[in-house]
Amino acid sequence: MAQLPILEFPDPRLRTKAVPVEAARLADPSFQQLFDDMFETMYEAPGIGLAASQIDVHQRFMVIDVTEDKIRPLVFVNPEITARQGEQVYQEGCLSVPNIFADVTRSDMITVQALDRHGQPFTLEVDGVLAVCVQHEMDHLDGKLFVDYLSPLKREMVRKKLAKARKQANAA
Ligand code: GNR
Ligand code: NI
């Protein structure tokens, strides 16, 4: 097991559009190791989701566990949202935009189809924070970040705040 470094805004690599996973690759032990390492990285952060894009792997998969006790680890490979209903506003954060939080409006309830870590297709109807997280991670796979929903002025303030925090961390 290993913790992986997480790319941070405004790293241009976070803007990469991820390509579909070839399902045959899931039989590869190194791919399975990657899932385990992503869960370890997410749990240690701590976070409730992690998209491959954030660890500089530009293929369409992500891991999520929104439970307090790490009892529902979910892997989504090649996820697609097939239905949406309603709207919800949730205060989001992102491991690639540390210590920044902002309200984002997304679909309230979604149906998502994906492959699990072994290549088995599944369909899940989700709402609440899990629905938020699925949409947030799928945005990463398209090179999109939650700060993109903010005004350009606010996004620039976020960029400056992170640059300052990094500078201070390096000076210490
Ligand atoms: O850990 C995370 N928490 C979170 C809170 C509100 C909305 C979305 C998220 S996802 C985030 C982890 C992350 O950055 N995933 O890409
Ligand atoms: Ni994120």
Side-chain angles (χ1 to χ4, degrees), residues 46-51 54 90-96 129 132-133 136-137 140:
I48 59 172
L50 189 67
Q54 293 176 277
Y90 197 90
Q91 182 170 284
E92 299 199 12
C94 181
L95 297 174
S96 296
V129 64
V132 170
C133 195
H136 175 114
E137 305 313 336
H140 277 301

Side-chain angles (χ1 to χ4, degrees), residues 159-172:
R159 192 189 62 73
K160 283 186 176 150
K161 193 171 167 184
L162 290 184
K164 189 173 174 187
R166 262 175 224 127
K167 204 169 155 189
Q168 280 178 348
N170 289 337

Side-chain angles (χ1 to χ4, degrees), residues 15-48:
R15 300 311 190 173
T16 312
K17 186 168 165 66
V19 300
V21 174
E22 279 183 56
R25 287 286 319 278
L26 296 172
D28 189 336
S30 68
F31 222 99
Q32 295 297 318
Q33 184 65 50
L34 198 48
F35 295 137
D36 291 337
D37 290 346
M38 283 176 69
F39 276 115
E40 183 180 353
T41 303
M42 178 188 82
Y43 286 134
E44 282 303 310
I48 59 172

Side-chain angles (χ1 to χ4, degrees), residues 129-167:
V129 64
L130 182 51
V132 170
C133 195
V134 166
Q135 292 171 83
H136 175 114
E137 305 313 336
M138 287 182 67
D139 269 357
H140 277 301
L141 301 181
D142 288 327
K144 188 160 186 173
L145 301 173
F146 85 99
V147 292
D148 298 345
Y149 296 99
L150 307 179
S151 69
L153 180 66
K154 280 196 181 161
R155 193 161 48 252
E156 183 59 13
M157 284 168 56
V158 167
R159 192 189 62 73
K160 283 186 176 150
K161 193 171 167 184
L162 290 184
K164 189 173 174 187
R166 262 175 224 127
K167 204 169 155 189

Side-chain angles (χ1 to χ4, degrees), residues 72 74-76 80-83 110-116 120-126:
R72 200 187 180 200
L74 298 170
V75 174
F76 297 80
E80 300 284 349
I81 294 174
T82 58
I110 58 171
T111 305
V112 56
Q113 290 188 0
L115 304 179
D116 70 13
Q120 284 297 320
F122 67 96
T123 303
L124 217 51
E125 195 173 294
V126 299

